[in-house]
Amino acid sequence: MLDAETFAAGVREALRGLGRAGGLRGSVLLHSRAVASRAGRGAGPDDRAASLSALLRETAAELQAAPRDRRAHRALHHTYLQPAGTQQRAADLLGLPMSTYRRHLAAGVSRLTEELWRRELDS
């Protein structure tokens, strides 16, 4: 089992690799219990990567449903899920100054990590 610190670093790494072909193949989260239970016993690296991608996207979508997490979700969405290209462009799309955008993004990554960690512990 991954420890909380390694898991959190893995979430940040996975978010950066989410939009790239093969960007999740080396993720430490491929060995997490949540991904293993989702992908199924004996799943190969590609199936695990697809499961991790789906898990990240579904968990982020749950943040959108919670009123207190909507701003954080929007920052995650325009940065990692459907990237705007640059953080400045994402901030512009959201109508936010960079400092506010970065605060929302940090909150989004934190909340996403919390939810994924909860799932990991429940798996």
Side-chain angles (χ1 to χ4, degrees):
M1 180 171 148
L2 300 171
D3 63 53
E5 189 175 315
T6 303
F7 189 88
V11 170
R12 291 187 301 274
E13 175 193 348
L15 286 170
R16 288 188 298 270
L18 192 57
R20 296 189 318 255
L24 297 177
R25 284 197 191 133
S27 175
V28 298
L29 298 181
L30 295 179
H31 306 291
S32 70
R33 293 186 302 190
V35 170
S37 68
R38 182 182 184 97
R41 188 174 181 98
D46 290 338
D47 291 332
R48 283 181 174 254
S51 294
L52 174 56
S53 176
L55 183 62
L56 289 167
R57 292 177 186 282
E58 288 172 14
T59 306
E62 289 174 13
L63 297 180
Q64 183 181 19
R68 73 180 185 115
D69 293 327
R70 282 194 187 123
R71 288 181 276 189
H73 172 269
R74 291 181 64 210
L76 280 173
H77 177 79
H78 289 297
T79 306
Y80 299 115
L81 305 174
Q82 191 172 0
T86 65
Q87 288 190 351
Q88 183 62 56
R89 179 74 180 124
D92 292 344
L93 283 171
L94 296 169
L96 299 172
M98 279 301 288
S99 59
T100 304
Y101 158 77
R102 286 189 177 129
R103 189 172 67 249
H104 289 190
L105 181 59
V109 171
S110 177
R111 285 288 298 128
L112 182 66
T113 302
E114 288 171 15
E115 288 301 312
L116 289 167
W117 183 245
R118 184 187 54 75
R119 288 180 183 211
E120 178 70 5
L121 296 177
D122 289 347
S123 293

